[in-house]
Amino acid sequence: MLTAATFFDLSSFGHPQLFVDGAYVWTALNGLKRYMNDFPYTLPEDPLLPQGVPLAATVVLHGGRVLAADGLQIHYGDTTKGGLIVRDSGEILAGATVIMAGAVLLGREIEFGGGVLVESGAMIKAPAIIGEMSEVRQGAYLRGYCLAGRRCILGHATEVKHSIFLDDAKAGHFAYLGDSILGAGANLGAGTKFANLRFLTGNVTLRINGERIDTGRRKLGAILGDNTQTGCNSVTNPGTILGRNCVLMPNTTAPSGYHSEGTLISPKSYRRSG
């Protein structure tokens, strides 16, 4: 119970080694820094990718090269469905990633999968790993140690630090995630905030079946199982653990602790959906 298998299907996730068999699910956050510090990043050093300043012009990453977008034809379709298409003289550059003018990269330890779009005004601090066909939207702030799988959305005015997105996880608008994990297909409504630090000193603890479990973490936000959703302007207390297929209703604060698969948390009460 409360291992990764309770919450996630990791069979297609590109970084399953983050999750140790039989360990509590939140321990993946304990090893995230080490994993990302040791990752073999491939971002080229190139004058077209200056450090710490907004890009002067849109660039394309393809085949280990950095290409100026001038002269290329870019179709900005639905990124998460493979709709970002770059052509050079009519020939499709398969898997090309586009970093738009005005985006800021801070550090070389940043890895982009194929078909990623980084919009103007996004800021990405190293280290960061962004999986293929993911989208980093305008105004997103990735504060370091952010790992996203395939087809993820790190959205407009969303701040993320030390967190993991499994494939197809989406935090599209005005969200905050710190020390948190989103399962595959999880979706955050606009304005969702994951509190990750208690007012009181000490580690985040969870009360489960009358037993108090010390997570060993001073900071722990939320963990959402596969296909769990939150409504607009919802908030989770530090150490909120939601199983698969849960729903946190809009304008609702989720209590800390474990909420089992299929739980519906509403403003007045929470109950397991039938």
Side-chain angles (χ1 to χ4, degrees):
M1 184 177 175
L2 303 189
T3 65
T6 305
F7 299 88
F8 313 127
D9 178 358
L10 298 173
S11 59
S12 63
F13 184 52
H15 310 273
Q17 55 271 54
L18 283 167
F19 299 91
V20 178
D21 288 343
Y24 286 125
V25 63
W26 55 81
T27 61
L29 296 169
N30 299 345
L32 180 60
K33 286 187 176 181
R34 181 176 62 254
Y35 179 82
M36 295 188 70
N37 287 340
D38 293 341
F39 193 84
Y41 297 93
T42 61
L43 186 68
E45 291 194 23
D46 191 282
L48 294 174
L49 287 176
Q51 286 291 301
V53 297
L55 268 64
T58 297
V59 299
V60 172
L61 307 181
H62 182 259
R65 300 176 297 157
V66 182
L67 308 174
D70 290 346
L72 303 178
Q73 302 81 50
I74 303 176
H75 173 72
Y76 292 98
D78 188 332
T79 305
T80 61
K81 295 181 180 178
L84 178 65
I85 299 173
V86 181
R87 291 183 171 88
D88 183 3
S89 301
E91 179 182 354
I92 293 178
L93 303 182
T97 279
V98 176
I99 307 176
M100 297 178 67
V104 179
L105 307 182
L106 191 56
R108 291 294 175 189
E109 295 77 27
I110 300 173
E111 185 74 11
F112 296 106
V116 169
L117 174 64
V118 180
E119 294 184 351
S120 299
M123 182 168 190
I124 304 177
K125 288 184 175 181
I129 299 172
I130 312 297
E132 64 184 44
M133 294 189 294
S134 291
E135 186 170 276
V136 183
R137 291 180 176 170
Q138 186 272 338
Y141 180 26
L142 277 58
R143 283 176 47 196
Y145 294 102
C146 299
L147 186 152
R150 304 177 183 91
R151 301 176 299 276
C152 293
I153 292 179
L154 299 94
H156 169 67
T158 289
E159 179 181 351
V160 185
K161 55 88 63 174
H162 196 255
S163 293
I164 302 167
F165 287 48
L166 273 67
D167 296 346
D168 301 293
K170 298 176 174 63
H173 330 269
F174 305 100
Y176 171 72
L177 295 87
D179 306 280
S180 298
I181 306 173
L182 293 184
N187 186 73
L188 304 188
T192 296
K193 303 294 189 291
F194 289 170
N196 65 332
L197 180 65
R198 302 182 340 140
F199 289 126
L200 302 176
T201 59
N203 294 336
V204 175
T205 61
L206 307 177
R207 185 175 293 278
I208 300 172
N209 297 327
E211 178 184 1
R212 186 172 293 278
I213 299 175
D214 185 346
T215 65
R217 294 193 56 83
R218 179 77 178 103
K219 294 183 178 181
L220 177 61
I223 298 174
L224 274 57
D226 291 347
N227 301 310
T228 284
Q229 303 182 60
T230 69
C232 294
N233 297 318
S234 58
V235 177
T236 64
N237 277 290
T240 297
I241 315 295
L242 300 172
R244 303 179 195 226
N245 302 304
C246 291
V247 175
L248 174 60
M249 295 293 285
N251 302 306
T252 303
T253 298
S256 301
Y258 172 57
H259 306 272
S260 59
E261 180 173 353
T263 295
L264 172 67
I265 304 175
S266 69
K268 293 183 179 179
S269 63
Y270 64 93
R271 61 190 183 276
R272 182 175 298 176
S273 63

